[in-house]
Amino acid sequence: MPYTTIETALLGRIATSTAYSSSYMTSGDYRVLGYGLPRAVIAKFAGLDRRDLTFRIVRDEWLVNLDVYTRYNGELRLLADDMDADRQELIDTIAKWPALNNSTGVYRAQVRPLAAPVMPTADFPHYGLQTVVVSVVETYDPGRLEP
């Protein structure tokens, strides 16, 4: 299955959360940060590990970086709490739908260990940033012809 299908299924599951709507999420488009939203998720391709399990079965592990931006409203302590809540909402939503709503071939989606949050800086004062790495594993028959 192509990466775009995996990413669309992942963002579709996140959109079922009460904290996120589809207007808060994009695929690699940072313009969403200019809309002044309370939070935003930007999905980016992070890697692919492809392995042949047998001659007829292939296992792909797609890695998707979800850059989670939380709006900064003036107090770092409150921002840290908001960032924790936004991150946990994503983790809970992905854990609830480990097969991404039974997307074809997907049998597991899970969050990998997280990087440390990045607080607002003078160069980027409006949002705090956390990157959530999601591993999506699928198996499929590539339709190879036998020799």
Side-chain angles (χ1 to χ4, degrees), residues 19-34:
Y20 295 94
S21 72
S22 58
S23 62
Y24 288 32
M25 298 178 290
T26 67
S27 176
D29 185 358
Y30 289 85
R31 291 179 295 180
V32 71
L33 299 176

Side-chain angles (χ1 to χ4, degrees), residues 5-127:
T5 305
I6 295 290
E7 185 180 89
T8 300
L10 182 59
L11 292 178
R13 284 299 91 208
I14 294 168
T16 64
S17 163
T18 56
Y20 295 94
S21 72
S22 58
S23 62
Y24 288 32
M25 298 178 290
T26 67
S27 176
D29 185 358
Y30 289 85
R31 291 179 295 180
V32 71
L33 299 176
Y35 302 151
L37 299 170
R39 67 192 57 80
V41 175
I42 299 174
K44 299 183 302 189
F45 173 77
L48 168 65
D49 179 24
R50 176 168 288 159
R51 297 178 186 196
D52 290 339
L53 298 179
T54 68
F55 183 73
R56 297 198 47 92
I57 303 294
V58 173
R59 174 194 170 274
D60 284 348
E61 180 181 10
W62 297 94
L63 297 178
V64 181
N65 280 350
L66 298 176
D67 288 344
V68 182
Y69 291 89
T70 304
R71 185 142 182 89
Y72 174 55
N73 291 318
E75 187 161 337
L76 285 177
R77 182 182 55 80
L78 296 176
L79 175 63
D81 292 344
D82 291 346
M83 290 173 74
D84 288 346
D86 289 349
R87 180 190 63 238
Q88 193 59 48
E89 180 70 26
L90 274 179
I91 292 170
D92 292 346
T93 301
I94 293 166
K96 191 183 337 179
W97 301 94
L100 299 181
N101 202 26
N102 295 323
S103 295
T104 305
V106 173
Y107 68 88
R108 183 183 74 227
Q110 65 185 22
V111 174
R112 290 265 184 107
L114 305 172
V118 177
M119 293 300 179
T121 64
D123 295 333
F124 193 70
H126 302 295
Y127 286 93

